[in-house]
Amino acid sequence: MTYLCFIWAAERHAGSPCVTASMDDIHFEHTISVGQVVNIKAKVNRAFNTSMEVGIQVSCEDLFSDRHWRVCHAYATFVTQRTNTGKKVILKPIVPQTQKEQVEYSVAAERRRVRMVHDDIIKDLLSHGSVQQADNSAVGNAVAAERTKVESVELVLPPHANHQVNTFGGQIMAWMVNVATIAASRLCQAHPTLRTIDMFTFRGPSQIGDRLLLRAIVNNAFKNSMEVGVRAEAYQEEGPNRHINSAFMTFEVLDDHGKPCLLPRIRPEPLEGERRFQEAIARKKIRLDRKYIISRTQGEAPLSVPWDPTNQVYLSYNNVSALKMLAAQNNWRLSSEKDKVHLYTLEQKSMLSFRVESEVDVPAHRAFSLLAEISNRPSWDTHYRKCELIHQVDDDDFLYRVVTPSVSHGALGSPTSSSQGEGILQDFILLASKRKPCGSGDPYVIALRSVSLPTHPPTEGYNRGEVLCAGFTILETKNNMSLIRYYNQASPEVLPYISTDIAGLSSSFYHTFCSCSQYLTRNRQNVTSEEQTGQYQATNTDSPTCETQVDALSVALHSTQL
């Protein structure tokens, strides 16, 4: 039923048949018992050229106690099928109406970016030796992995397929969960509870008359959880087996109080079993990163998350999506205005955010290129005493150390400082993530957040400051001009810079933004060929940065093994 809601939402928007390309991670927060009512809501969050992201929320209610609770929240990517003449069906764009819809619409582009590199992250973890090797000598009394093997064959009948005679993706997943549950129970000798299903991609269709061969095995057992890998292959009476899907599921065994039980260890098979054992450890690391960095709201996560190459993708996602979610808030209040430079504030519980905006006579792609060079910011922002590039992660992400003057006599000092007083500077370790528009109407984005680096610990003479969420959005307006907006969720180190402006006692924000505008105007000429290419890609929704990634999903050419 959940899958039907997915496909109905997708096909209602597309007006044509659609197929599932991929599913994001699914985290089951609670279980559902017999006799309870399940509520399912599905909605298209964003449509790209020939693909769309559909979000679904599953909740449960007990009619006798009037209790309601959320079970899970997931995202799926659907692609339209070609017409009978072979033409692609181009989707109409989604127009978000509410603040929540605007947030989902904006962050959908970042979620797709993460999907594209999910398999590569595991490969990088293994290739760089970041995962421990299996120690078979220490698991002599462990359960042999081959004892947990399960094989099952299912015949695809008409009730299992949609109107295109393709097997429901949800039906395939239900069969896969069944064999995974049996494999998990063979290890723990108890009834396991499914907790997560990792992100996966459908590699090809299955149709009525196919036999589905389902294989499952426990890849690794951790202290309180185990990972089960499942592989689904389809075949006819003649012809080779077709790899339809692979999925990785995490199970727990709960005691009478609902607490996870201790599980026996697993002894992997040689070669292929050891490969699965190692990859399970890598996937656990990725799950923790995703849960720790992505799943939490900005207010719940600590400011300076340690940065390393293995969690870079998720930190970058969190960085950009946090700024997009802040920008999508609709209850900003105008606090001050001077010569068309506006200062807005937003109060949320104990958090104060501010936004400064103005229109400048500079093309958006040029303003983006200039402001993305954070190293040049001291030339126009007096709050930046020094800015040095520590590391260029890739074309879109950079690590900087920024030095700013102290705003008080040590009152805001870091507890790591040995002495605090007048003249002590503040420094920040920042991750800067830049994004070009993924579609018409999207802004350019330059997001900033604090991270911690072992190579750059707090040092004597500097108070280590932290930035929760900050950055620029740059939107192209009429006559080749740009609307520049700067956002900041004010941490204690930042608030003194802006508090007098909010109170109307000064206008330093105005002078800083005027200086920024002059910097952009002085350098608006000499557009490079790279910027011209970027401008074309930003306005062309068929650009490689957007739609070729979707094509990769639709043809499902990933090569991850189970």
Side-chain angles (χ1 to χ4, degrees), residues 2-14 18-26 40-48 51-57 73-79 91 94 104 108 111 115:
T2 302
Y3 179 79
L4 285 177
C5 289
F6 267 129
I7 195 72
W8 287 340
E11 293 187 346
R12 175 181 292 179
H13 178 75
C18 298
V19 294
T20 314
S22 69
M23 280 287 300
D24 285 8
D25 293 350
I26 304 174
I40 304 171
K41 296 179 181 179
K43 179 185 288 187
V44 177
N45 293 328
R46 182 160 183 167
F48 303 96
S51 72
M52 71 198 92
E53 179 191 274
V54 180
I56 192 163
Q57 183 168 313
H73 188 198
Y75 300 98
T77 301
F78 285 82
V79 294
L91 296 169
I94 290 289
E104 293 287 3
R111 283 192 287 262
R115 292 176 196 122

Side-chain angles (χ1 to χ4, degrees), residues 336-354:
S336 182
E337 179 181 3
K338 185 175 181 181
D339 294 342
K340 297 184 179 180
V341 179
H342 305 82
L343 172 64
Y344 295 84
T345 58
L346 173 67
E347 294 185 46
Q348 295 174 304
K349 297 181 180 179
S350 59
M351 185 72 65
L352 175 66
S353 304
F354 64 88

Side-chain angles (χ1 to χ4, degrees), residues 21-245:
S22 69
M23 280 287 300
D24 285 8
D25 293 350
I26 304 174
H27 297 273
F28 295 96
E29 302 172 21
H30 299 281
T31 57
I32 302 172
S33 301
V34 175
Q36 293 173 335
V37 178
V38 180
N39 300 310
I40 304 171
K41 296 179 181 179
K43 179 185 288 187
V44 177
N45 293 328
R46 182 160 183 167
F48 303 96
N49 269 3
T50 60
S51 72
M52 71 198 92
E53 179 191 274
V54 180
I56 192 163
Q57 183 168 313
V58 181
S59 60
C60 189
E61 63 175 302
D62 190 314
L63 297 178
F64 300 104
S65 63
D66 197 29
R67 290 191 307 116
H68 297 74
W69 60 92
R70 193 172 83 163
V71 176
C72 70
H73 188 198
Y75 300 98
T77 301
F78 285 82
V79 294
T80 55
Q81 289 192 322
R82 295 176 182 266
T83 64
N84 293 332
T85 58
K87 291 184 178 179
K88 289 184 177 181
V89 177
I90 304 301
L91 296 169
K92 58 186 178 183
I94 290 289
V95 180
Q97 301 295 330
T98 66
Q99 176 184 320
K100 184 176 180 180
E101 290 175 353
Q102 179 61 47
V103 169
E104 293 287 3
Y105 176 89
S106 184
V107 180
E110 278 304 299
R111 283 192 287 262
R112 183 172 61 172
R113 187 184 181 94
V114 173
R115 292 176 196 122
M116 298 302 107
V117 297
H118 180 70
D119 290 342
D120 293 336
I121 296 172
I122 297 177
K123 295 176 184 176
D124 289 343
L125 275 174
L126 296 170
S127 63
H128 288 89
S130 303
V131 177
Q132 69 184 61
Q133 296 298 310
D135 185 5
N136 292 335
S137 62
V139 291
N141 59 347
V143 177
E146 53 264 32
R147 288 182 55 187
T148 68
K149 279 185 178 180
V150 178
E151 285 195 9
S152 175
V153 177
E154 300 286 350
L155 175 62
V156 180
L157 300 173
H160 303 143
N162 58 23
H163 52 280
Q164 307 159 47
V165 304
N166 290 327
T167 313
F168 287 122
Q171 181 63 69
I172 297 175
M173 287 306 303
W175 285 332
M176 295 176 78
V177 170
N178 286 342
V179 295
T181 303
I182 297 171
S185 64
R186 287 183 174 177
L187 174 70
C188 61
Q189 300 294 305
H191 182 71
T193 299
L194 178 63
R195 282 305 184 201
T196 66
I197 302 176
D198 284 5
M199 183 184 299
F200 62 85
T201 299
F202 284 98
R203 302 164 183 271
S206 165
Q207 297 180 331
I208 294 174
D210 279 345
R211 276 74 169 173
L212 255 60
L213 174 61
L214 305 158
R215 295 190 179 101
I217 190 171
V218 176
N219 292 331
N220 204 333
F222 307 100
K223 183 177 180 182
N224 300 116
S225 65
M226 70 188 93
E227 181 195 275
V228 179
V230 190
R231 180 184 177 97
E233 298 177 351
Y235 66 92
Q236 297 280 352
E237 292 183 2
E238 297 180 357
N241 288 12
R242 309 187 310 275
H243 186 186
I244 300 300
N245 188 16

Side-chain angles (χ1 to χ4, degrees), residues 307 312 373 388-400 431-432 434 530:
W307 180 93
Q312 159 59 27
E373 291 292 337
E388 59 176 312
L389 176 64
I390 298 174
H391 176 56
Q392 179 174 343
V393 181
D394 51 37
D395 291 339
D396 297 323
D397 296 281
F398 306 81
L399 293 167
Y400 291 94
L431 171 65
K434 62 179 185 178
E530 180 182 355

